[in-house]
Amino acid sequence: MASSTVRPTSQDHPEEDDVARRLLESAAVLAYDPATEVDWDTPLDRDFHGASPEWCSLYGTPYWQELTDAQRKELTRQEAASVASTGIWFEMILQQMVLRDVYTKDPTSAEVQWALTEIAEECRHSIMFARGAQKLGAPAYRPKRFAVELGRMFKTVAFGEAAYAAILVAEEVLDVMQRDWMRDERVVPFVRTINNIHVVEESRHMKFARDQTSKRLSGAGRVRRQINAFVVAIASYYIVTSMVNPKVYANAGLDEKRALAEAKDNEHHKSMMRSSCSGLMEFLASSRLLTKPALAFYKRAHLI
């Protein structure tokens, strides 16, 4: 778990680099190589879930009550793979936004070196998620075409606080659910390891995203905040609503049409999503990014 990350000294860099410098120090001490940390060789044990059942989109519905134990476990495995695939999609967007943000900045600064370290970690995460989804016996789930094209545009034009606040939304939602999964002994061990790695390393990414969002917004006027709040809310809506691909139900052997209808009206799952975002919404509110138009999208995504 050792890292060769370069750690700039305080004499080399200004005080505003303090957060990035601390993150570099953390990465140098606590970093993982999923290729060796995760048990990729042991065959999938189908007696385990792929995620905590309570996070399943059908948990608590009449359809869930009808499913056999094996069907429930298969559905959670498919949904875990879908979440991982969505994570890969957004991590690719994230990497491009961060790299574009530091493109012309001083590469000897802690901020740029941390940004490159974060990108390296995200690359490892994407490979880890891909291998994990494959081991769960799932196909390569992809967001709907409109979301893919919207993501293509967003990663090209988003900058500053809009980019970092959107990064924060995606990471915080995943963080809460994965903290539950990694502690749950009903979840297959290799997925718990993946979740643990992601939670540890993403905690640094969230710290940086919060710091950058606050810094970029300092002194921002009302119009700028209104625009960014709306952009971030739209991005958040499509990220969150893409997490569970509709095809997971058919791939788990269920009636897709019925499953989609019951998942859409599942108040338990909506409540879980809202609870996962309470801290995030407090931060966005304190940053004055919870405008009325933005709130409409967060409510549609059941994040508030």
Side-chain angles (χ1 to χ4, degrees), residues 75-288:
L75 178 57
T76 63
R77 289 194 292 268
Q78 292 296 323
E79 290 198 2
S82 178
V83 169
S85 295
T86 304
I88 294 169
W89 169 59
F90 190 73
E91 283 177 346
M92 288 185 176
I93 295 173
L94 179 161
Q95 291 167 45
Q96 294 177 74
M97 290 193 299
V98 172
L99 192 58
R100 182 162 49 81
D101 184 56
V102 301
Y103 177 58
T104 59
K105 293 182 179 178
D106 178 4
T108 68
S109 70
E111 182 180 310
V112 173
Q113 291 186 25
W114 164 251
L116 295 175
T117 300
E118 179 171 337
I119 291 168
E121 290 183 344
E122 295 293 11
C123 285
R124 292 195 297 271
H125 294 170
S126 293
I127 296 169
M128 175 176 71
F129 283 159
R131 294 184 69 180
Q134 184 179 32
K135 185 167 180 175
L136 285 169
Y141 290 111
R142 301 185 189 282
K144 293 179 180 178
R145 180 63 181 270
F146 182 76
V148 170
E149 296 307 321
L150 193 66
R152 193 189 306 278
M153 181 178 70
F154 182 72
K155 61 89 176 172
T156 303
V157 302
F159 64 93
E161 61 271 16
Y164 284 103
I167 288 170
L168 185 62
V169 171
E171 290 175 340
E172 292 237 11
V173 172
L174 274 175
D175 181 73
V176 173
M177 65 174 66
Q178 288 186 329
R179 285 179 185 272
D180 282 351
W181 301 358
M182 75 184 195
R183 301 186 186 104
D184 193 338
E185 294 185 357
R186 296 170 297 176
V187 175
V188 65
F190 84 91
V191 169
R192 295 178 64 193
T193 303
I194 287 173
N195 292 329
N196 182 67
I197 291 172
H198 198 246
V199 164
V200 169
E201 297 189 340
E202 287 296 329
S203 66
R204 296 192 285 261
H205 303 181
M206 290 187 291
K207 175 72 173 177
F208 188 64
R210 282 177 179 255
D211 181 64
Q212 288 295 308
T213 300
S214 297
K215 284 179 178 177
R216 307 300 176 93
L217 279 172
S218 66
R222 180 178 179 277
V223 172
R224 178 173 161 184
R225 288 180 188 270
Q226 288 279 334
I227 293 171
N228 283 318
F230 188 64
V231 170
V232 171
I234 292 174
S236 303
Y237 173 81
Y238 283 101
I239 292 165
V240 171
T241 56
S242 296
M243 283 186 173
V244 178
N245 190 293
K247 297 301 180 185
V248 299
Y249 305 114
N251 290 335
L254 308 186
D255 180 333
E256 183 176 332
K257 185 176 180 180
R258 181 185 173 189
L260 282 170
E262 294 203 22
K264 182 180 179 181
D265 296 329
N266 188 356
E267 292 301 325
H268 170 80
H269 192 256
K270 293 175 185 178
S271 175
M272 294 290 282
M273 294 301 295
R274 285 192 295 269
S275 68
S276 74
C277 292
S278 57
L280 170 65
M281 292 301 145
E282 287 178 11
F283 174 77
L284 293 178
S286 69
S287 302
R288 288 184 285 163

Side-chain angles (χ1 to χ4, degrees), residues 14-36:
E15 185 176 341
E16 56 264 28
D17 268 359
D18 279 353
V19 170
R21 188 161 46 249
R22 290 196 298 270
L23 295 174
L24 280 168
E25 291 170 351
S26 173
V29 174
L30 187 59
Y32 296 91
D33 180 1
T36 57

